[in-house]
Amino acid sequence: MEYSNIFNYYRGQIKKDNGVNIGTKQIENNVKKALINVLEHSNDLLTLNFIRTFIDCNNNGHTFNYLYEVGRKLKETTPRALVIGIAETMDLIDTKSEYNNNTRPDGAILTDSISILIETKTGTDQLYAPQLEGHKKTFAKGQIVDDQPVLILWKEIKEFFNIQFEYFKSTNDVKTSFLLDQFEQFCNDNSVGFPSKSKEYFFSLFKTQKARNLAKEINEYIYNKSHFKDEVEDYHDRYKAGIRTDCIGYISSKGYYKFASMTKARNVCFALQLGKRHHTERAKEMQKELDALLKHKYEDTDHERATHGEAYIRLEWVDNLEQIKPFIDEAYHLRLIR
């Protein structure tokens, strides 16, 4: 991802990141940190308005302390305490099973009158009721905590910040306006606060700039340069009302199923979907051919069982589009066989 925003965090790959999707991890961690940073470094009125809007309209606190990744038990009790959860959807996962006792809230806002612990989820990840309940153990001993968490959509956070941006811009608060503008841009670049994720979001998940450029080139080839370009449709436009959450799906106007996708699954890869009914064996052969061509064994990087009828490509291993064009073309035609 090219530098364009103060909330983007950059570092090289380190040993413990091997096999982990760094792009996804950076986006998720950046969003969590960016929210706290905006509140902490803006005019205190922004945090006060945040609390009044989402939690307690009568709150009049003026001194705020902020924590990021709360790893210790809080020391002070306050008249009110609660946990808030922020996610793209409010499909709260509720289960009677115990969550890890070592739950760590993503952040905290503390005043003399209220203690707030924050849990955030991005993308398709959902809030998990036992995790929110487990966060209550972080409050100080003797603290009385609201029974139910406050649940907020990222869309609502963005709408709130947009209103605040107009106010602080009108009062010539340059710093607060700048931070709010950068947060809005960061969210837009990473499809935070949208039910549907942009193609750019999925391109950005690949681990290297070369792979990200190749992902765009593949998309351009499929839609505008392939011999079947006039028959290609967006899978999510056809079946999901344009809501794209976990992948970019490519489908033929002559067929019913995806023949390829750029997916967050399997640590981010380009998947060729030939169809398990007729082409399971060909998919296995194709995977071997790809492994030999790219001089890497795909299964060494993915411990999940391959889906029947699919072959996978790590774009980081591909030198140029010409190497994989024949496989894309073949997947398209095989998928049409019923």
Side-chain angles (χ1 to χ4, degrees), residues 140-175:
K141 184 178 181 179
Q143 176 72 65
I144 297 175
V145 184
D146 285 9
D147 289 336
Q148 298 299 318
V150 173
L151 305 180
I152 309 171
L153 295 170
W154 279 115
K155 179 181 178 182
E156 295 173 324
I157 296 289
K158 288 184 62 183
E159 290 172 349
F160 166 76
F161 276 174
N162 285 335
I163 293 172
Q164 297 301 305
F165 171 78
E166 294 300 329
Y167 169 77
F168 287 108
K169 183 179 179 181
S170 71
T171 61
N172 295 317
D173 189 327
V174 177
K175 181 180 179 181

Side-chain angles (χ1 to χ4, degrees), residues 167-326:
Y167 169 77
F168 287 108
K169 183 179 179 181
S170 71
T171 61
N172 295 317
D173 189 327
V174 177
K175 181 180 179 181
T176 301
S177 299
F178 171 75
L179 291 173
L180 289 168
D181 181 64
Q182 286 286 290
F183 185 81
E184 169 72 9
Q185 181 192 88
F186 178 75
C187 288
N188 290 344
D189 288 346
N190 294 285
S191 293
V192 176
F194 296 94
S196 178
K197 296 190 175 298
S198 68
K199 287 186 177 181
E200 288 295 330
Y201 168 80
F202 289 99
F203 298 152
S204 75
L205 298 181
F206 289 95
K207 297 182 178 68
T208 67
Q209 186 61 53
K210 179 181 177 182
R212 293 190 282 273
N213 291 339
L214 180 59
K216 296 177 184 179
E217 194 176 353
I218 291 171
N219 185 79
E220 173 69 12
Y221 169 72
I222 290 175
Y223 274 106
N224 298 311
K225 296 180 179 179
S226 67
H227 62 270
F228 48 84
K229 61 182 185 296
D230 295 330
E231 302 167 1
V232 177
E233 296 182 9
D234 188 300
Y235 171 83
H236 294 87
D237 284 344
R238 185 193 290 190
Y239 292 120
K240 304 293 183 180
I243 306 300
R244 188 185 298 113
T245 58
D246 59 348
C247 73
I248 301 171
Y250 303 93
I251 191 169
S252 171
S253 59
K254 297 180 178 180
Y256 299 101
Y257 307 102
K258 288 180 285 186
F259 66 88
S261 63
M262 293 186 192
T263 176
K264 291 177 65 176
R266 302 179 180 278
N267 294 324
V268 185
C269 72
F270 181 54
L272 298 175
Q273 293 149 311
L274 286 60
K276 66 180 180 180
R277 183 176 179 181
H278 299 290
H279 306 299
T280 291
E281 292 306 313
R282 175 56 190 139
K284 292 178 181 178
E285 294 171 0
M286 182 180 286
Q287 189 67 67
K288 292 178 181 178
E289 292 171 14
L290 285 165
D291 290 349
L293 174 68
L294 303 179
K295 298 181 175 59
H296 291 276
K297 196 171 183 180
Y298 173 80
E299 68 176 17
D300 290 343
T301 69
D302 185 357
H303 300 298
E304 293 183 38
R305 180 177 298 178
T307 300
H308 292 315
E310 294 187 353
Y312 309 104
I313 302 173
R314 294 263 178 248
L315 296 188
E316 292 78 12
W317 299 342
V318 180
D319 291 331
N320 56 69
L321 177 59
E322 294 301 320
Q323 286 182 299
I324 60 174
K325 270 186 185 180

Side-chain angles (χ1 to χ4, degrees), residues 87-102:
E88 292 288 358
T89 67
M90 283 299 106
D91 298 325
L92 183 65
I93 299 175
D94 199 354
T95 176
K96 295 180 181 179
S97 65
E98 290 293 328
Y99 198 82
N100 188 323
N101 288 331
N102 296 320

